[in-house]
Amino acid sequence: MDDAVVTDPITRADIDAAADRLRGHAVRTPLLNAPSLDAAMGRRIWVKAECLQKTGSFKFRGGLNAVAQAGGDVVTYSSGNHAQGVALAARMAGRKSVIIMPTDAPQVKIDNTRGYGAEVILYDRATEDRFAIGAALVGERGLELISPYDDARVIAGQGTCGLEIAQDLPEEVSEVLVCCGGGGLAAGVALALEGRATVRTVEPEGFDDMARSLRSGTRQENAAKVGSLCDAILTPTPGELTFPVLQRLAGPGMVVTDEEALRAMAIAWDHLRIVLEPGGAVALAAGLFHHTGDVAVIATGGNVDRDVFLRALSPS
């Protein structure tokens, strides 16, 4: 019998088309390397600084690509980074956006999302269902839903980060560590880097649904909904579109603690002078504390409340 043909939800052509849409709008972020950090670790670590992207995270890429292809006003749910990306993209396109955000999202993310012109609807992530709220708004207001990760347009937009890494990454580096919630960025980057480097997902301890799913071969759920500083990547389960891509292309998932994420934030500031949020620092934490070779990591976001950033910088 012939082998089954693998069909991914998006193709390299979709990512290339997204790159064309983003050109002149999104920032081509640098792949940073600090000799002082390399010397301290005894190996080389490359950091893709998506914290320097518009709205402070990689999410602007997927948000802009999705909004550019939407038919009208949009709605989405997000703890803050996707929220800001979609809100700014909608404002740039002259469209309205409604963003469903948890009450425990960092205040800076809620304020920034409103600042980009979005209508923000708050919900309790421990007792309310953001998917149900979003579905109701689609029906009541005729809005178009843009999923934070289970949307081919979003995945393609995030994949443009991988195209840039492929252009800049030294040939000897063969693994790229990616902060992972639902898997939109990881899946897009894995597709963009197919044949060049292997992606490994990184999640916070207690919210490692992707790592467990990759081990078991089926999508697993997190028992808890709250309980980590890494708000940006707390999702209930891997995406229906993203998991098959990562099952085919990704290496074993990695897990770090909140304290390791905070330590990585301090190291990023000390050696690279970039500001990261906990969820945006987990890939760097894995590269620092759970990897032994040369590696690239994506620093996915820097939208951190002042108190949390000061906690990261304070001696333990």
Side-chain angles (χ1 to χ4, degrees):
M1 178 181 288
D2 293 337
D3 291 338
V5 175
V6 176
T7 303
D8 290 315
I10 64 168
T11 65
R12 172 60 184 268
D14 295 320
I15 300 174
D16 290 337
D20 288 338
R21 294 187 190 97
L22 268 61
R23 191 168 293 113
H25 301 290
V27 176
R28 192 190 191 287
T29 57
L31 187 66
L32 303 176
N33 173 258
S36 60
L37 180 57
D38 290 349
M41 300 302 298
R43 52 196 173 87
R44 305 193 77 186
I45 298 178
W46 299 86
V47 180
K48 179 66 168 171
E50 282 294 291
C51 52
L52 303 179
Q53 185 56 257
K54 286 182 179 177
T55 72
S57 90
F58 75 95
K59 289 288 194 175
F60 178 69
R61 296 175 183 268
L64 181 61
N65 192 53
V67 168
Q69 298 175 79
D73 298 337
V74 299
V75 61
T76 192
Y77 29 78
S78 166
S79 67
N81 285 338
H82 178 68
Q84 294 171 81
V86 169
L88 178 57
R91 189 178 76 178
M92 291 168 60
R95 294 175 181 166
K96 295 179 181 179
S97 62
V98 179
I99 315 294
I100 303 159
M101 301 183 71
T103 53
D104 63 345
Q107 192 61 45
V108 65
K109 295 183 178 182
I110 296 173
D111 292 344
N112 286 350
T113 301
R114 287 181 172 139
Y116 291 127
E119 175 188 347
V120 173
I121 296 176
L122 298 175
Y123 77 102
D124 185 336
R125 75 165 100 207
T127 61
E128 295 181 281
D129 184 349
R130 67 180 189 174
F131 303 109
I133 297 171
L137 287 169
V138 169
E140 293 167 6
R141 302 197 197 179
L143 303 171
E144 182 169 339
L145 178 66
I146 298 177
S147 167
Y149 48 86
D150 244 352
D151 186 309
R153 301 165 299 183
V154 170
I155 298 170
Q158 319 305 27
T160 62
C161 179
L163 297 182
E164 296 172 10
I165 292 173
Q167 294 170 357
D168 297 343
L169 192 64
E171 286 297 327
E172 65 271 17
V173 180
S174 60
E175 283 195 341
V176 178
L177 310 186
V178 184
C179 308
C180 183
L185 176 64
V189 170
L191 287 164
L193 292 176
E194 185 173 5
R196 169 61 184 86
T198 299
V199 159
R200 296 184 67 181
T201 60
V202 185
E203 297 166 290
E205 188 175 66
F207 297 87
D208 58 344
D209 50 293
M210 184 64 78
R212 290 184 287 110
S213 298
L214 291 172
R215 283 198 305 271
S216 69
T218 59
R219 293 166 64 226
Q220 303 294 306
E221 294 187 5
N222 290 317
K225 294 183 180 181
V226 296
S228 171
L229 287 173
C230 302
D231 65 279
I233 52 175
L234 302 186
T235 54
T237 190
E240 293 182 10
L241 298 182
T242 60
F243 178 61
V245 174
L246 293 170
Q247 192 175 25
R248 182 172 73 84
L249 295 176
M254 305 176 74
V255 180
V256 303
T257 66
D258 280 1
E259 288 305 313
E260 287 172 332
L262 290 170
R263 288 169 60 196
M265 291 168 61
I267 289 170
W269 174 252
D270 289 342
H271 291 274
L272 297 165
R273 282 297 184 259
I274 57 174
V275 174
L276 300 182
E277 61 189 277
V282 297
L284 178 57
L288 290 168
F289 311 127
H290 299 279
H291 201 280
T292 58
D294 292 352
V295 69
V297 307
I298 304 180
T300 51
N303 292 310
V304 59
D305 277 341
R306 177 186 177 89
D307 290 347
V308 175
F309 189 59
L310 291 177
R311 174 181 168 184
L313 299 184
S314 300
S316 57

